[in-house]
Amino acid sequence: MSIQFKSVALISSAICCALFCIWMFAPATLLQLWGVGYSDAAGLVARHNAALFAGLGLMLFLVRDSQPSMARAGISAGVALASLILAALGMFEYVSGAAGAGIGSAIIPEIALTVVFASLWQADRALLHHITPVSIPQESRIAMVYSSVNLADAYSTELPVGASTNAEQLARFMFAHQPAWINGLLAVRDALVAGIGLKTTKQLESLGAADEGSRVGFFKIYSSTPTEIVLGEDDKHLDFRLSVLCSGGCSPTAKGRITMSTVVHCHNRIGRFYILLIAPFHRLVVQANLRRAAQVGWPLASPSV
């Protein structure tokens, strides 16, 4: 079920209004729940926070009926980032002993808001850049690769006239032109998974060092045809396959289409928890790769393709 911006905006606006009232008129109550002592300095900061929540709540209420736009996407991105920072600060304060377990009452909804608004942001950006969520194509080799899946998604976009429709060429082009922030995200991912038995990016890259043609980026090639390349990896807690499928573009004046599909099969609870955690970021990365390749300019078809 898709997340509706209006519903999220109204609920978030109500939360902001409640936080305005608490921080303005009863900050000591919330601080006590968090295990933090109240002082005049804390009250001063609390009242200033109240003003920010009042403005944020009004903004979300006024834009509740807005259609997809760069402005709406910017609002969603801003709320997601603010919620993520607040959740991270709350966890830090708890770990450091500056706050008690009661601060979890703030951390949990902040994490929820981060995921929800990040999903709204990616949906708006995909729509604005004509990257469309689609069903996994039935002709794809990964459509029925697993008997059960824990994640399955696909995103498609149109290729310009004259662009290559060679799947491996386009896959290598996308991974060679990834946005820089994805490398930072992968570094965080590697730090998190190193202790649970999943292969890190460096480990995957080292596996293909002897034969670079066997991998695209750090992904192993499982099959390759002119119209589809299947990448992936089998690991301790989960297996996954990524398909880059090209269609159309059979004549010099026809536009082609590229579809990136992903399926994941988990072996245990650790794998399922990992996928639940990274799924929103996975979707951001897939769409960012398609968007970045379009911005750079898809490679042109050659007479041999």
Side-chain angles (χ1 to χ4, degrees):
M1 183 177 65
S2 61
I3 302 173
Q4 299 298 317
F5 180 84
K6 181 175 182 178
S7 300
V8 174
L10 287 172
I11 293 171
S12 301
S13 177
I15 293 173
C16 288
C17 290
L19 289 172
F20 162 74
C21 294
I22 293 172
W23 284 121
M24 180 62 73
F25 303 111
T29 302
L30 191 56
L31 291 174
Q32 184 180 11
L33 174 64
W34 292 357
V36 178
Y38 179 79
S39 66
D40 290 341
L44 175 66
V45 174
R47 288 188 292 274
H48 279 72
N49 284 343
L52 294 175
F53 279 113
L56 180 59
L58 177 61
M59 178 183 70
L60 290 170
F61 180 77
L62 293 176
V63 302
R64 66 192 184 280
D65 291 315
S66 63
Q67 298 302 307
S69 65
M70 288 302 296
R72 196 178 90 167
I75 290 172
S76 295
V79 177
L81 178 60
S83 300
L84 178 62
I85 293 173
L86 287 171
L89 287 173
M91 287 185 281
F92 173 78
E93 300 297 349
Y94 173 71
V95 171
S96 66
I103 201 169
S105 63
I107 295 173
I108 293 174
E110 285 160 359
I111 292 175
L113 287 173
T114 299
V115 173
V116 169
F117 275 100
S119 298
L120 289 170
W121 174 63
Q122 72 175 16
D124 278 354
R125 282 179 61 84
L127 183 61
L128 292 170
H129 290 84
H130 306 290
I131 298 172
T132 310
V134 296
S135 300
I136 294 178
Q138 290 300 309
E139 65 270 26
S140 172
R141 294 191 176 192
I142 72 169
M144 302 297 292
V145 69
Y146 299 125
S147 59
S148 63
V149 295
N150 299 91
L151 182 146
D153 58 40
Y155 293 89
S156 182
T157 190
E158 195 173 62
L159 295 168
V161 172
S164 172
T165 54
N166 181 277
E168 182 170 343
Q169 181 185 14
L170 297 186
R172 293 189 182 279
F173 181 82
M174 280 190 290
F175 286 108
H177 295 85
Q178 291 189 128
W181 60 265
I182 292 179
N183 293 327
L185 198 61
L186 287 173
V188 174
R189 177 260 181 201
D190 287 348
L192 292 174
V193 305
I196 63 173
L198 290 174
K199 298 184 183 76
T200 65
T201 303
K202 289 184 177 180
Q203 289 173 328
L204 293 172
E205 288 174 341
S206 66
L207 293 174
D211 183 10
E212 294 183 358
S214 66
R215 291 184 176 262
V216 174
F218 51 84
F219 295 124
K220 179 180 177 181
I221 298 175
Y222 280 85
S223 66
S224 181
T225 68
T227 57
E228 183 179 27
I229 184 169
V230 175
L231 312 173
E233 200 69 44
D234 293 340
D235 218 326
K236 180 178 180 180
H237 301 297
L238 58 85
D239 303 335
F240 76 93
R241 296 292 184 268
L242 168 66
S243 161
V244 176
L245 177 70
C246 297
S247 58
C250 298
S251 70
T253 58
K255 292 183 178 181
R257 178 164 288 275
I258 182 171
T259 302
M260 289 187 70
S261 308
T262 307
V263 292
V264 180
H265 171 70
C266 297
H267 302 305
N268 50 42
R269 291 180 180 177
I270 294 177
R272 289 190 289 273
F273 176 75
Y274 170 76
I275 285 301
L276 180 65
L277 186 65
I278 65 100
F281 302 100
H282 152 76
R283 297 185 181 104
L284 285 176
V285 168
V286 170
Q287 294 175 71
N289 280 335
L290 289 168
R291 189 176 299 112
R292 177 62 176 168
Q295 291 171 346
V296 173
W298 294 103
L300 298 176
S302 63
S304 60
V305 175

